[in-house]
Amino acid sequence: MQAIVDGLNSIIWSPALIYLCLGTGLFYSVLTRFVQVRMFGEMWRLLFSGSSSAKGISSFQALAVSLSGRVGTGNIAGVAAAIGFGGPGAIFWMWVVAFLGAATAYIESTLGQLYKEEHEGQYRGGPAFYFEKAMGQKWFAWIFAIATITACGLLLPGIQSNSIGNAAEIAFGAGGTISTSMGDLSVTKIMTAVAIVLILTFIIFGGVKRIASFTQIVVPFMALAYIVIACSVVALNIDQLPGVIGMILADAFTPQAGFGAAIGWGVKRGVYSNEAGQGTGPHAAAAAEVQHPAQQGLVQAFSVYIDTLFVCSATAFMILITGAYNVHGIGDTFIIHNLPATLAENSPAFTQAAVETVLPGVGEPFVALALFFFSFTTILAYYYIAETNLAYLKRTLKLPGFDFLLKVALLASTFYGAIKTANLAWGLGDVGVGLMAWLNIVGILVIFFMAKPALKALIDYERQRKEGKDEYTFDPKSLDIEGADFWEKRFNKNK
């Protein structure tokens, strides 16, 4: 199984996808005149503006749902993997893909808002919706929807629960083992898996409103607590920070693990962590209640900064400052070997070891707890995304009982991931992320060359902003944007 998954990833995550992610981000950065820099102040203002409605959630709630998907195990175990296989220079490329990816996030999230629909009393949208309406290619939309249901419902939840299980075992011990048909399993991992599934069951049967209410409380709290600890570790070793930053920059271009490894692992884990271009962010963006589509695009672009430039950087600095990492060479060799080889790079072990150097006896359980909240809310976001794409398919086909089957499949994937090996869980997740990224990036590029709807929306929003408008309006017809039925109806109703 592992060999098959590794073979698929070698094809999906070829250099072509790596450079497509970077190139698309640069392309949209230039065309939007670096909206991620120019509109930074507006992003911050919009973050706390607006409110929810009976049909949609607020901008902040949509950000929280999106961040719950972005801020997850990738920020802890993913950063460790990037360093372990790509060297410290991989962090530089995570920064690059985040900076450029913020422009991609604006484009895809604005498209999510532009082409959203009202479905059973709730706003729904995402790549499948804008591929059908903006591209006019329903077959392509169906491929994306099926790929996303598979990725978010079956492949990706296992990564999150696997990291929770591994962190719990490191922090609290295996607690003995139980012999099963799948081999000897840790009692701690089994108990952790059961706890995750029970709590998850209660929330996902409550719908998107319950998910949004949960994440808007948990996401800021867990991120703040983690950042405080990370900053404390850095502050206690502040004299080493300039050297660490210098090492990251130097290794980005003269890398220890190879130039391709630094870029490849930096971009791969960067895309997995901040999700820019992956096509997951637009689902939460579409659910928001806003006056203008560009507003939620800007808010979602800001979430990339929070995820990678803030949370991922905090993890990287902790690991590198404390020296709690290894760097793989060719085969089983190590270029840097500071920790036992038994500590897997695709796990939270590096981060736990880093915090443990400053807070002995506290670091490992703290990271395990933080990872639980990070990863648990990410699983919730995955469910919402999979559910949205199932709702898209149900517009055409009657699929009785599929909602229940999706819930059961996600719960089973979560349980299985928590008790299995890290390499298989990450490999399956990378397959899902790669497929979605290929489909979404190619799709939004085609849409741009066909009609440029997200760019037109940005120009319209900036025009109204310069005019000092207190209330924004959006008329897609006046901008020659076709297929934005929701916004056409709203404009005609309010004029």
Side-chain angles (χ1 to χ4, degrees), residues 227-241 317-318 321 358:
I227 289 296
V228 167
I229 293 294
C231 289
S232 299
V233 173
V234 174
L236 291 170
N237 299 274
I238 194 66
D239 58 312
Q240 298 181 46
L241 184 59
F317 288 153
M318 276 199 300
I321 278 178
V358 177

Side-chain angles (χ1 to χ4, degrees), residues 67-68 71 217-227 370 373-374 377:
L67 275 176
S68 69
V71 180
I217 297 171
V218 173
V219 171
F221 167 76
M222 70 182 185
L224 180 61
Y226 184 76
I227 289 296
F373 285 116
F374 276 117
T377 52

Side-chain angles (χ1 to χ4, degrees), residues 233-463:
V233 173
V234 174
L236 291 170
N237 299 274
I238 194 66
D239 58 312
Q240 298 181 46
L241 184 59
V244 164
I245 295 175
M247 178 172 62
I248 291 172
L249 297 177
D251 190 51
F253 301 99
T254 56
Q256 298 171 7
F259 189 62
I263 297 179
W265 279 96
V267 174
K268 190 176 186 179
R269 288 291 165 255
V271 170
Y272 176 79
S273 176
N274 64 53
E275 301 187 3
Q278 185 180 320
T280 49
H283 297 89
E289 184 71 77
V290 291
Q291 296 177 359
H292 194 287
Q295 290 178 321
Q296 197 59 33
L298 293 171
V299 170
Q300 298 302 110
F302 184 76
S303 70
V304 176
Y305 286 144
I306 298 173
D307 173 86
T308 301
L309 298 185
F310 200 33
V311 184
C312 283
S313 295
T315 300
F317 288 153
M318 276 199 300
I319 291 172
L320 295 174
I321 278 178
T322 59
Y325 66 100
N326 299 326
V327 177
H328 270 273
I330 298 173
D332 295 328
T333 63
F334 287 93
I335 298 170
I336 295 177
H337 195 179
N338 297 332
L339 296 176
T342 53
L343 296 180
E345 286 76 10
N346 280 328
S347 79
F350 287 5
T351 310
Q352 287 179 296
V355 180
E356 193 70 17
T357 61
V358 177
L359 300 170
V362 177
E364 290 180 349
F366 169 76
V367 173
L369 182 63
L371 191 57
F372 172 80
F373 285 116
F374 276 117
S375 300
F376 186 80
T377 52
T378 301
I379 297 172
L380 291 178
Y382 288 155
Y383 169 71
Y384 172 69
I385 292 165
E387 184 190 51
T388 296
N389 282 275
L390 182 59
Y392 170 79
L393 297 180
K394 288 167 67 177
R395 292 156 73 246
T396 304
L397 290 179
K398 291 183 178 180
L399 300 169
F402 268 65
D403 292 276
F404 180 76
L405 288 176
L406 174 62
K407 292 179 173 70
V408 171
L410 183 133
L411 292 171
S413 172
T414 300
F415 185 89
Y416 183 79
I419 60 178
K420 293 307 292 177
T421 62
N423 287 341
L424 181 58
W426 277 93
L428 289 169
D430 283 339
V431 169
V433 170
L435 286 174
M436 291 171 65
W438 267 113
L439 292 168
N440 184 59
I441 291 176
V442 169
I444 63 176
L445 285 172
V446 171
I447 290 172
F448 175 82
F449 286 111
M450 288 178 63
K452 304 179 178 62
L455 191 59
K456 291 177 181 178
L458 178 62
I459 294 170
D460 181 65
Y461 182 72
E462 290 192 85
R463 176 187 61 78

Side-chain angles (χ1 to χ4, degrees), residues 151-229:
C152 292
L154 293 174
L155 303 179
L156 289 168
I159 292 181
Q160 306 298 328
S161 60
N162 182 269
S163 292
I164 297 173
N166 285 334
E169 187 175 49
I170 292 170
F172 307 113
T177 59
I178 297 176
S179 296
T180 70
S181 59
M182 293 186 289
D184 292 338
L185 301 178
S186 161
V187 172
T188 299
K189 283 189 175 183
I190 293 174
M191 292 176 64
T192 302
V194 171
I196 297 169
V197 168
L198 287 176
I199 301 171
L200 193 60
T201 299
F202 170 74
I203 295 177
I204 65 174
F205 278 91
V208 65
K209 288 284 188 176
R210 184 174 291 176
I211 293 173
S213 299
F214 181 80
T215 55
Q216 75 171 340
I217 297 171
V218 173
V219 171
F221 167 76
M222 70 182 185
L224 180 61
Y226 184 76
I227 289 296
V228 167
I229 293 294

